[in-house]
Amino acid sequence: MASRSVSPGGALLRASRVFSIPPPLPRPMGELSSTAIFNSDTATLPHPIHQSITTPQSSLARGDWGFKRPLPLRSTTKTSTPFIRVEAIDTFEHITEFNSSADHSITLQKWQEMGVPLTTAMPDTNRGDFKAGEVRSVFESDLDSIAESDGGSRGKEDTRWKFKGPWLAGQTEGDFNAFLTSEVRKRKPEFQQYLRTACAKALTTEARHAAEGEMPPAVEASEVTEAQFTEFVKGLRNTRAELYKHIRDFLDLPPAPAKKVDVEQLLRNNGVNIPDNNVLPASRSPYAETGPPKTHPSAGLSYSLTNAHTYNHPVWGPQKNPPPVQSRVVMPKSAATGQFGAALGVGGFVTELPAGQDSFNLGGSGRFSRQHRQKEAPGTLTVDPSKVGGSKLWVHPTKAHVDPKGRVVLTVESGDPEAVAVHEGTTDQIPVVATPKLSSRTYGMGHAPSFDNLGARRNTGRGYGLNLGGRSEQAPARKEKPGKQDDPLSQLTGLM
């Protein structure tokens, strides 16, 4: 209910769905390329630009979506996905233009069902608390921050994801010149006042370091003389790193990529990295090499820190791996099209095969995994017209991050054979691997078991609650010889 101080028109606008619809985002631009690129106006965009709207079933039957006029029932009720995006609320012809938004809405539902957490991009080198190859959740306290820098040392504010200024390393020469002309030059008086304040702080620090008795008062910016200010500016011009620090704080710029280590210079210095005042220091930000994202790093897809939870199957109990996700081969390997790696469609997102695999591998080293690999791998090499709906593969989504262009980069792993069997209900088709016999070897006064055949026990459903027994169908039980029943090692083998 609106308060009494609100006018009737204001109360109507506050409760109106039309008034609460945000303006659409600009349409994403295509990539600059010398080759011809064919785009479709009806293709699904990389990210939504309109708000997705739905309505309850009771209102859907009447065509009531909360707008000025009811929407036609023929185009809104004969669908299993009642989601729309409104492009124009009231046109010149007095109609409401809308389209289906099921493409992005259903994709969001699929992503939430997969439960993939959003992480930062993996850095190539160590940066402070970030180790090379390490991924961290975008919702950690030292990353999920938009606090601006206070002009001090680079700390938590250096790892934030939102900045007012552009990422200079990702700009072209024309964009950089336009930024200087439109944004930087008109702020020259403000920057001089900023430098004067920084000079006052430097003079205060120098005076307090030199003081032996009573602490001197802080120097104000108005007390700085022209000679002191000129000397301070000359010192900044000779120290590139310090000057860039002040420029970053004033314009609120994202961190720049760190300079690569010069191996020859290290060899000349006997392996000692001598700091250079003209070299920019390495940043702790995970976005220094790629640039900060345009939106929140999670993009609103997920709000969980990790996917560290155990899936509890109703029959087999807690599982080692979560249920696999069925992916579709949307583009096989083909050197003719320039695509040297197969592309998979997982939950509405396109990703590549697991890293380091020339052909799709379902994991494991037993006969069961080899059979599946021979059955599913042809779909990633050439198009198989006999597959209804295309070739499909089982994968495990592990992590994902959003790049600076707003695209979701998803990483998947090969589907575990036992997890696929549990999910499909084909656990009776998993071959039973025989339990290896332990051979005795004289070692001192006793007997030491040999684990040479321990690798044959890998695909035994351990971690999935599968009761696969201890003997293979191809390897029947071997009768014990007379006189071996009392052998301790034989009894141990029976327990294994």
Side-chain angles (χ1 to χ4, degrees):
M1 296 297 293
S3 60
R4 295 183 179 180
S5 60
V6 180
S7 62
L12 179 62
L13 292 177
R14 178 175 294 182
S16 174
R17 173 172 291 182
V18 177
F19 187 72
S20 62
I21 296 179
L25 300 176
R27 191 180 182 90
M29 301 295 295
E31 296 183 358
L32 298 178
S33 177
S34 59
T35 59
I37 299 177
F38 302 95
N39 296 326
S40 175
D41 295 336
T42 59
T44 302
L45 299 178
H47 57 82
I49 62 176
H50 291 83
Q51 184 182 22
S52 182
I53 302 173
T54 184
T55 186
Q57 291 293 334
S58 58
S59 301
L60 177 63
R62 303 192 306 267
D64 182 13
W65 291 75
F67 293 101
K68 183 178 181 179
R69 59 183 62 87
L71 300 184
L73 300 178
R74 180 178 299 178
S75 57
T76 56
T77 57
K78 294 182 179 181
T79 177
S80 59
T81 56
F83 301 100
I84 64 171
R85 61 170 67 97
V86 177
E87 299 182 357
I89 298 176
D90 194 3
T91 63
F92 183 79
E93 294 83 4
H94 301 290
I95 61 175
T96 302
E97 290 186 357
F98 66 94
N99 288 316
S100 175
S101 65
D103 48 1
H104 289 110
S105 301
I106 300 302
T107 299
L108 178 60
Q109 293 181 0
K110 292 179 181 178
W111 186 274
Q112 294 175 350
E113 290 178 3
M114 291 190 299
V116 183
L118 273 300
T119 61
T120 59
M122 294 184 295
D124 297 333
T125 56
N126 296 341
R127 293 194 193 94
D129 298 338
F130 297 89
K131 299 179 181 179
E134 180 186 15
V135 294
R136 299 177 60 183
S137 174
V138 297
F139 293 103
E140 293 189 10
S141 58
D142 57 342
L143 296 176
D144 191 11
S145 174
I146 59 175
E148 297 182 10
S149 173
D150 56 355
S153 60
R154 308 245 64 87
K156 178 180 178 181
E157 69 277 357
D158 198 26
T159 60
R160 55 195 172 103
W161 59 270
K162 187 175 183 180
F163 298 87
K164 294 181 180 178
W167 189 53
L168 301 182
Q171 285 188 327
T172 61
E173 185 178 358
D175 294 338
F176 178 70
N177 293 332
F179 173 69
L180 292 179
T181 304
S182 60
E183 299 292 338
V184 178
R185 290 182 179 178
K186 64 181 181 181
R187 301 185 62 183
K188 183 177 180 180
E190 300 180 22
F191 185 61
Q192 290 182 348
Q193 184 62 31
Y194 172 83
L195 289 181
R196 192 173 292 272
T197 304
C199 179
K201 292 182 180 179
L203 292 176
T204 301
T205 303
E206 182 180 356
R208 290 180 177 177
H209 280 299
E212 297 180 356
E214 185 178 357
M215 186 68 65
V219 180
E220 300 294 336
S222 58
E223 301 175 358
V224 178
T225 62
E226 291 297 330
Q228 292 174 339
F229 182 70
T230 304
E231 188 67 23
F232 177 74
V233 173
K234 289 182 179 179
L236 289 180
R237 290 175 179 175
N238 296 329
T239 310
R240 181 183 176 186
E242 188 68 17
L243 177 60
Y244 178 71
K245 174 181 175 298
H246 289 291
I247 294 177
R248 272 199 59 195
D249 293 337
F250 178 73
L251 298 177
D252 195 19
L253 299 176
K259 183 180 179 180
K260 302 299 182 182
V261 178
D262 191 355
V263 180
E264 296 181 357
Q265 185 68 25
L266 286 178
L267 294 177
R268 287 194 296 267
N269 297 334
N270 295 326
V272 180
N273 190 7
I274 301 177
D276 189 357
N277 293 331
N278 292 325
V279 177
L280 302 181
S283 174
R284 295 177 57 250
S285 174
Y287 313 111
E289 298 294 335
T290 59
K294 295 182 179 180
T295 61
H296 190 273
S298 67
L301 292 174
S302 175
Y303 299 96
S304 59
L305 289 174
T306 63
N307 57 350
H309 62 274
T310 302
Y311 171 68
N312 191 12
H313 193 270
V315 177
W316 304 110
Q319 300 295 293
K320 180 180 179 181
N321 290 327
V325 177
Q326 194 174 40
S327 64
R328 186 191 305 272
V329 181
V330 297
M331 182 180 294
K333 289 184 179 181
S334 177
T337 60
Q339 183 73 19
F340 298 98
L344 303 179
V346 184
F349 296 88
V350 179
T351 182
E352 300 177 352
L353 288 177
Q357 295 184 6
D358 297 331
S359 61
F360 198 81
N361 183 9
L362 289 177
S365 58
R367 181 170 57 87
F368 177 69
S369 61
R370 289 196 299 270
Q371 291 176 353
H372 275 253
R373 184 162 59 249
Q374 296 172 359
K375 178 181 178 181
E376 301 290 351
T380 62
L381 300 176
T382 57
V383 177
D384 190 358
S386 62
K387 295 286 186 179
V388 179
S391 301
K392 301 179 180 63
L393 304 171
W394 292 103
V395 296
H396 288 294
T398 55
K399 57 181 178 295
H401 70 274
V402 181
D403 64 358
K405 295 183 180 180
R407 297 175 298 187
V408 179
V409 181
L410 178 64
T411 304
V412 297
E413 292 182 354
S414 304
D416 188 81
E418 282 78 12
V420 174
V422 170
H423 184 72
E424 293 181 335
T426 58
T427 55
D428 55 334
Q429 301 179 10
I430 301 178
V432 181
V433 182
T435 303
K437 297 294 183 178
L438 299 182
S439 60
S440 61
R441 180 183 303 171
T442 304
Y443 187 80
M445 297 298 296
H447 298 280
S450 175
F451 296 93
D452 296 337
N453 298 326
L454 191 60
R457 300 182 56 196
R458 291 178 180 176
N459 294 333
T460 56
R462 181 174 297 178
Y464 297 92
L466 305 179
N467 186 12
L468 302 180
R471 295 185 175 88
S472 173
E473 298 176 358
Q474 293 78 9
R478 186 175 58 183
K479 296 182 179 181
E480 297 291 345
K481 296 181 179 180
K484 294 291 183 179
Q485 289 82 357
D486 299 334
D487 189 3
L489 188 58
S490 302
Q491 297 179 4
L492 178 61
T493 305
L495 293 177
M496 294 294 290

